[in-house]
Amino acid sequence: MRDQRVARAMPVLAALGKSVCYLALFVGMQVAIMLPESVYIGVLAALGGDVEELYDQLLANTMTYTMISGLLTIAIVIAFYRFRRQPMAEALWLRGVDGPTLLTGAALAPALYLIVGGALALLPEAWLESYNEASAGIDSGTLTGVLAVAVVAPVVEELIFRGLMLNRLSRVMPGWLAVVLSSAAFGVCHGHPVWFAYAFVLGAFFALLDLRAQSILPSILGHVAFNAISQILSFVPEEGEGAAVVVLILVAIAAPILNRRGVAALFRRKPRQAALPAPDWDLPTQPGTYDYDPWDE
């Protein structure tokens, strides 16, 4: 009985271990890129430099570092699986899907943005000030900042948290648990408690979308659309914010209607499948014995 339990736990532990490695790659790359300037600023501060000015300098370069670390992370992941000669569609969950399914995330992104924005507006003022301070530098207004937030960050985050983590976790545990774990990791990486809360919700939405589609392509487009909205609104002058919100509301209503087939499929109940035979939990002696085993990747 004990050997059987150990055998059952092995694929789960392997998937969890790999998920930790993917998370370490994502965080480690960001730390590695920012470390040289952080050390340099720390040395100058120790020598009597203006700490506030040095911090502002680091903050001003945040989006550049985000773009560089994201591009390097994507390159490393792709190179690894190319070297292993594994099909990218399966390894990274980049399977092709039909048009309505592909556009589902993007169609729901405006409504999702309004919901998140409305929730943030209800926060206590102290929380909101803390969140705005932590978010400083994201809406930089530069081309690098726009590309980093609206393109690079969504792609690398979907590859790591859904294409790699959710993909593997969902093979060895119930889907809801895989969604919770991958979304919690996604939230933790955003740091601030308020960021964690709404990143967890977004991560759960994208994860559920990907589980339905069996591909991360819909969540990539949805994530790009969500982040792009924030970047576009950052360029709107204060006197035009009301009109911008009205336009966003209209888009949030129209987009799901125009893509009603994809949205309906997301919420449609799947037909119940026939029960599968009980699995044989004996550990394989060589790779490829099962559809998924810890030796196969």
Side-chain angles (χ1 to χ4, degrees), residues 132-192:
N132 289 333
E133 183 179 347
S135 304
I138 292 180
D139 299 329
S140 62
T142 64
L143 178 60
T144 299
V146 172
L147 291 176
V149 173
V151 180
V152 177
V155 172
V156 69
E157 288 172 357
E158 292 309 309
L159 282 176
I160 295 295
F161 294 100
R162 260 68 71 180
L164 291 173
M165 292 181 65
L166 177 67
N167 183 3
R168 278 140 187 84
L169 292 174
S170 63
R171 301 181 191 180
V172 296
M173 61 181 63
W176 67 267
L177 182 56
V179 168
V180 169
L181 292 177
S182 61
S183 302
F186 183 55
V188 167
C189 285
H190 284 74
H192 194 276

Side-chain angles (χ1 to χ4, degrees), residues 8-84:
R8 292 184 180 185
M10 285 299 293
V12 177
L13 293 176
L16 289 172
K18 288 178 182 180
S19 296
V20 171
C21 291
Y22 303 140
L23 189 59
L25 170 65
F26 178 77
V27 175
M29 189 59 66
Q30 292 180 335
V31 172
I33 294 299
M34 296 186 68
L35 186 60
E37 184 170 0
S38 299
V39 172
Y40 172 70
I41 289 176
V43 171
L44 291 182
L47 295 176
D50 187 337
V51 176
E52 185 174 347
E53 182 180 348
L54 294 173
Y55 176 75
D56 290 341
Q57 177 185 334
L58 179 64
L59 199 63
N61 295 327
T62 298
M63 289 298 96
T64 300
Y65 294 141
T66 298
M67 173 174 278
I68 294 173
S69 66
L71 291 174
L72 287 176
T73 301
I74 293 171
I76 290 172
V77 170
I78 292 176
F80 176 78
Y81 284 100
R82 286 291 187 189
F83 178 77
R84 298 289 300 275

Side-chain angles (χ1 to χ4, degrees), residues 89-146:
E90 295 301 318
L92 300 177
W93 234 4
L94 291 168
R95 300 167 179 159
V97 294
D98 60 87
T101 300
L102 179 65
L103 296 174
T104 302
L108 293 173
L112 203 57
Y113 188 89
L114 287 171
I115 293 171
V116 171
L120 290 176
L122 296 175
L123 292 175
E125 186 175 347
W127 290 20
L128 202 54
E129 288 180 2
S130 175
Y131 166 76
N132 289 333
E133 183 179 347
S135 304
I138 292 180
D139 299 329
S140 62
T142 64
L143 178 60
T144 299
V146 172

